[in-house]
Amino acid sequence: MRTIYVDNAATTAMSDTAIAAMTDYYKTVYGNPSSLHTVGQQAKEALEGFRGRVARCLNCEPREIYFTSGGSEADNQCIRSAALLGARKGKKHIISTAFEHHAVLHTLKKLEKEGFEVTYLDVHENGLVTADEVAAAIREDTALVTVMFANNEVGTVQPIEEIGAVCRKKGVIFHTDAVQAAGHIPVDVKLQNVDMLSLSAHKFHGPKGVGALYCRRGIPLLTFVEGGAQERGKRAGTENLAGIAGMTAALEEACANMEKNSAKLLKLREKLIDGLLKIPHSKLNGDRHKRLPANVNMCFEGIEGESLLLLLDAKGICASSGSACTSGSLDPSHVLLALGLPHEVAHGSLRISLSESNTEADVDYIISEVPKVVEYLRGISPVWEKLEKGIQEHLI
Ligand SMILES: *Cc1c(COP(=O)(O)O)cnc(C)c1O
């Protein structure tokens, strides 16, 4: 049986370009960039070359890029840095949204325990917040606004440029978790008024365990790992040069092919949404148009997302019921609840995140199999029976 992988928001397969870019840095340029000899200095030169190339992809300066172990670390470091900077000026208020990734939410929860106050903006039913809502929440003591670029579950893309403009005008640092956006939709930190940004290589066909953060010149970054002068003293540890090479190649490739890939993905996405919406009592989560080209997130009333997932897996379809980080727990996704979906409905969710290597045949297969599985699960669901008999009212 063929496997149809449609869980690209959880992670992606590496591109051949990225894999090819890495091998040199394991075999030939394997030096430690901190070593003073030739092999070390070759590595140092390569490292700075990659920094420049990543910077070009985001439209910033090389010295504004810091390499990290991934998106989670970048989120932690950006948020903690801005919080510390704020606290030094007596500003201990942070603005975010209720549906951020846990790398952001858990960092904020910890900061709350340390005496910070966090305003979590409500997300509208369409999965969006507005710049006006951000503006209205900003106070004299606001140190940071952190709003994700694109959501990892429902794929909605926030008005980043407008939110950035509001923050710039009010002199508040603006961080965005762009892990789902980078390499998929245009990211330009200058144009979009972004002060700090996080990205992760494995979400755009690069290797796992490597990412980067952008920190605008003039904003002091916290030393996140002690022990050496790497990353200009902000993150000690011998650099993952091969990983950084793979990330750089993958990012450049993704950016170069963005228009072509988006056009293909949009077609597949729209076909998939139309096909799945034919299932009775189903719903698309998040705005239909202001979403990532590769994201489809649906709810089907009367079923459990986990059961749906396992039965689809048995048919060779690898999808997700939401965030990979919360799978295994029986709580419905905090993202879907933030969109205002009732618990019962949020339980029956399915996230399909495509990649450019998916085909129309994949989409046709998904459209033919999902309705059968949903029908089967509804047939054995006591909740569905109550809905059908009118004992309980349909919510969607
Ligand atoms: C995957 C993801 C992260 C975490 O990135 P890692 O590199 O896996 O640590 C953070 N934020 C979002 C939105 C993500 O999708």
Side-chain angles (χ1 to χ4, degrees), residues 9 69-73 75 101 103 148 150 152 177 179-180 200 202-203:
S69 70
S72 300
E73 185 188 311
D75 282 340
H101 188 273
M148 71 200 312
N152 47 301
D177 174 338
V179 173
Q180 292 289 334
S200 175
H202 77 100
K203 302 292 175 73

Side-chain angles (χ1 to χ4, degrees), residues 51 81 103 113 123 127 150 157 160 174 182 206 235 247 333 337 348 370:
R51 199 184 306 281
S81 296
K113 287 203 183 111
V123 183
V157 179
I160 291 303
F174 176 43
R235 181 184 189 266
M247 170 167 70
S333 131
L337 295 181
V370 174

